[in-house]
Amino acid sequence: MVTVSKDHPRYKSLVLRDKLVDGCKRGITSVHGLIAHGRGEAFDYLIGEKSTTNALDATEVTSAYILTAQRPILSVNGNVAALVPAELVELSEITEAPLEINLYHRSRQRSEKIEQHLRDFGARRILTGRDYVQLPGIASERAKVDQKGIFLSDVVFVPLEDGDRCEALKKSGKMVLAVDLNPLSRTALAASVTVVDELARTMGNLIEFTRRMQHAGDKEELEVLKSKFDNAQNLKTSYSIILSRLQNLSESKGV
Ligand code: PTJ
């Protein structure tokens, strides 16, 4: 990996890029993942490269859904595995939710490399999707889901998901919790809860909320959080944040 000085103004962003490039070199991340990340970065600029209050609200609700699920699953693709392996394992340990390797550009070799990578970070609950069933209504390889995992789950955490599968998962009656910096994407629009935030920031917040709420005696509180959340309204707030940021910048003299 390239050594990036901590003083560099874009330190965090460069570290994430490095992790993805390294993921590509090691056969974990698809080259398409680099393009997807670039699109995410562009939207991160627009939201101000920080977790907004509405992103934090959506993250908190995501925690509430995972903690109250009967069979929660954390879906892992090549970008997610490269960017936040330690955080995925930590969340899986806290919630006992398995990690399911689920790839758009599916190959057995990449799936095995991701599995080993997650094990190196201490993962104990991994579903590989090699015993799969096919979700109806999806043209891509993502239709294949693990028969002991996503197929039976009631709540699925899907960071960096594609729109088709998000819609298909929703249609099959599951709660779909997405992380996507692009609030205009089909995934963002179709998910039950969309966290419009960068994945590495989201995982830090998600772990913190989950640890705190896990020990809250009153599970009723989690139900209230879930029932009060309106994803369409939350997305509208993301659009407003981007709009007013651009408006302020266009009116300021010091651009
Ligand atoms: O490993 P695979 O084969 O399963 O492929 C994974 C990718 C991500 C390549 C695949 O799912 C894909 O092509 O995704 P899309 O359709 O490009 O969508 C990715 C979405 O994630 C885009 O809307 C990006 O804005 C968003 N995104 C990218 N990087 C981040 C992100 N959102 C949050 N945090 C990020 N770091």
Side-chain angles (χ1 to χ4, degrees):
M1 280 219 226
V2 178
T3 315
V4 187
S5 160
K6 285 199 171 169
D7 302 330
H8 195 288
R10 304 212 47 77
Y11 173 75
K12 284 186 185 160
S13 160
L14 293 174
V15 167
L16 293 182
R17 282 185 174 195
D18 249 17
K19 286 187 176 182
L20 284 176
V21 170
D22 189 55
C24 278
K25 285 183 185 156
R26 294 169 60 186
I28 289 171
T29 308
S30 144
V31 285
H32 304 268
L34 301 178
I35 300 169
H37 189 77
R39 178 157 53 183
E41 281 187 342
F43 280 98
D44 207 14
Y45 258 82
L46 294 176
I47 65 165
E49 294 180 286
K50 59 174 193 271
S51 301
T52 59
T53 49
N54 71 306
L56 292 172
D57 288 347
T59 309
E60 196 175 34
V61 173
T62 297
S63 283
Y65 270 108
I66 295 173
L67 284 171
T68 52
Q70 298 291 318
R71 299 182 80 110
I73 296 286
L74 313 176
S75 180
V76 180
N77 65 29
N79 283 45
V80 177
L83 289 173
V84 287
E87 292 86 342
L88 286 170
V89 173
E90 190 173 351
L91 189 63
S92 168
E93 288 298 309
I94 306 169
T95 59
E96 297 183 4
L99 300 166
E100 175 168 336
I101 301 166
N102 194 278
L103 304 178
Y104 185 81
H105 308 279
R106 191 180 166 101
S107 82
R108 174 140 190 156
Q109 203 188 23
R110 199 148 70 86
S111 163
E112 283 172 359
K113 285 188 175 166
I114 292 174
E115 182 182 358
Q116 188 53 52
H117 179 63
L118 294 172
R119 290 207 192 284
D120 291 344
F121 277 85
R124 293 186 299 168
R125 299 174 183 84
I126 302 181
L127 296 164
T128 61
R130 277 166 222 141
D131 291 326
Y132 62 82
V133 272
Q134 200 103 0
L135 281 181
I138 310 179
S140 78
E141 288 286 76
R142 273 252 171 99
K144 294 173 179 165
V145 295
D146 196 292
Q147 49 177 306
K148 293 203 191 88
I150 289 177
F151 184 63
L152 294 179
S153 68
D154 54 342
V155 170
V156 203
F157 176 62
V158 284
L160 282 59
E161 181 59 77
D162 67 278
D164 280 0
R165 201 176 67 139
C166 186
E167 281 166 11
L169 290 170
K170 268 286 285 295
K171 268 197 198 135
S172 65
K174 300 176 195 307
M175 290 302 301
V176 183
L177 315 171
V179 181
D180 195 330
L181 274 162
N182 176 2
L184 306 167
S185 73
R186 278 191 306 137
T187 298
L189 296 169
S192 319
V193 179
T194 310
V195 180
V196 181
D197 201 358
E198 198 286 313
L199 178 66
R201 289 198 301 267
T202 304
M203 289 304 289
N205 296 328
L206 191 54
I207 288 169
E208 189 190 320
F209 288 139
T210 307
R211 282 200 184 282
R212 177 166 52 74
M213 295 202 287
Q214 190 184 33
H215 299 298
D218 190 4
K219 293 285 174 230
E220 194 55 33
E221 214 181 289
L222 304 184
E223 296 301 331
V224 172
L225 265 180
K226 283 165 30 182
S227 66
K228 279 192 176 160
F229 185 78
D230 178 342
N231 203 46
Q233 192 52 52
N234 194 274
L235 284 173
K236 282 184 189 170
T237 309
S238 294
Y239 307 141
S240 302
I241 286 170
I242 292 173
L243 260 177
S244 57
R245 231 176 96 68
L246 292 179
Q247 182 86 38
N248 289 342
L249 285 170
S250 72
E251 286 166 2
S252 81
K253 295 198 175 91
V255 180

